Amino acid sequence: MGTKNRKSQLLWGVGSLLIIAYALVPVLWILSLSFKAGDDINNTQFLPTPLTIDGWDPASLSLDNYATVLSSDLFLTALRNSVGISLIATSISVVAATLAAYAVARLEFPGKRVLLGVALMITVFPIIAIATPLFDLWRVIGLYDTWPGLIIPYLSFSIPLSVYVLSAFFREIPWEMEQAAQVDGATSWQAFRRVIVPLAAPGVFTAAILTFFMIWNDFIFGITLTSSEAARPVPAALAFFSGASSFEQPTASIAAASVLVTIPVIILVLAFQQKIVAGLTNGAVKG
């Protein structure tokens, strides 16, 4: 048994390393590309040149790409749009989904399972299927190339996802705790706000993070429903990035911009990783 356990652990370890390498190598390559300058982007070395006799020279790292990106009005405006749209859509989605998921978890009504099934179906519905109809509709009613024109489609997909995640989490909270609060004199709203919501905080954080990531990384709506810098988010704006000049390949600059827009995602994951894991695992314990 001891030999089998060691072999099993070894296989799991090797498999984990392969998965980690598969996930990290493209990220590390983009990070390396973001520090290369000029014609150096055409070489196949992982680290920027030059190589000295003693090894790689850290002085060969160039921050010019990051300086170019941070001084670009196109990138800064797109970053402002992404932050504003993502925060507004996430806030509305989480508040609406929290109320809806609580009703789904606590009330019994006909079609309850069908409602959750439809919510799950919406989350996997291909975005490209409605991008073109929305393009035509938004141009007619005046929402094209505006923040609301992006926020509304994002809510259409993020609220069902949040409802599905939060309803499973609310079902784990004992009904007796809310009844005890009401016995002590709390109203239904006070019991929900002061007892249920704090207990459901891991699930709420999970829904908020998943929603924020989905909106932050969206490209299809961003490129289809905008035509100028007025509302164009970062993923779509990178397609129009031209670098320091029109005669320079923007590859390294786009890599630097990609690294910069990934930093907020990494910070959020590291800051709330315990709540995210708790929310995902807790909601999956019972159906």
Side-chain angles (χ1 to χ4, degrees), residues 136-212:
D136 295 330
L137 178 61
W138 270 200
R139 287 172 64 90
V140 171
I141 65 178
L143 288 178
Y144 182 73
D145 201 24
T146 63
W147 280 26
L150 288 175
I151 292 174
I152 294 174
Y154 290 149
L155 293 177
S156 301
F157 284 88
S158 60
I159 290 179
L161 173 63
S162 300
V163 169
Y164 190 83
V165 172
L166 288 173
S167 60
F169 203 92
F170 278 125
R171 287 197 295 267
E172 302 296 324
I173 300 176
W175 176 251
E176 291 76 12
M177 300 188 67
E178 185 175 0
Q179 291 178 327
Q182 293 177 352
V183 169
D184 291 337
T187 63
S188 299
W189 170 248
Q190 290 174 335
F192 170 76
R193 182 168 55 90
R194 297 181 181 179
V195 178
I196 302 301
V197 172
L199 291 175
V204 174
F205 273 104
T206 301
I209 294 298
L210 292 177
T211 299
F212 184 86

Side-chain angles (χ1 to χ4, degrees), residues 19-106:
I19 293 174
I20 292 174
Y22 178 80
L24 289 183
V25 166
V27 177
L28 294 177
W29 184 261
I30 291 177
L31 182 63
S32 168
L33 188 62
S34 69
F35 288 109
K36 295 181 179 181
D39 295 334
D40 201 27
I41 65 173
N42 296 319
N43 68 53
T44 58
Q45 296 179 0
F46 181 76
L47 294 174
T49 55
L51 292 174
T52 64
I53 298 178
D54 298 328
W56 171 65
D57 183 11
S60 63
L61 289 176
S62 174
L63 297 177
D64 293 342
N65 297 318
Y66 290 93
T68 299
V69 170
L70 292 175
S71 62
S72 170
D73 292 335
L74 174 64
F75 177 79
L76 295 178
T77 302
L79 183 62
R80 181 199 64 192
N81 293 335
S82 286
V83 172
I85 292 172
S86 298
L87 290 178
I88 293 174
T90 299
S91 301
I92 296 175
S93 175
V94 170
V95 172
T98 300
L99 299 174
Y102 175 77
V104 170
R106 292 303 194 206

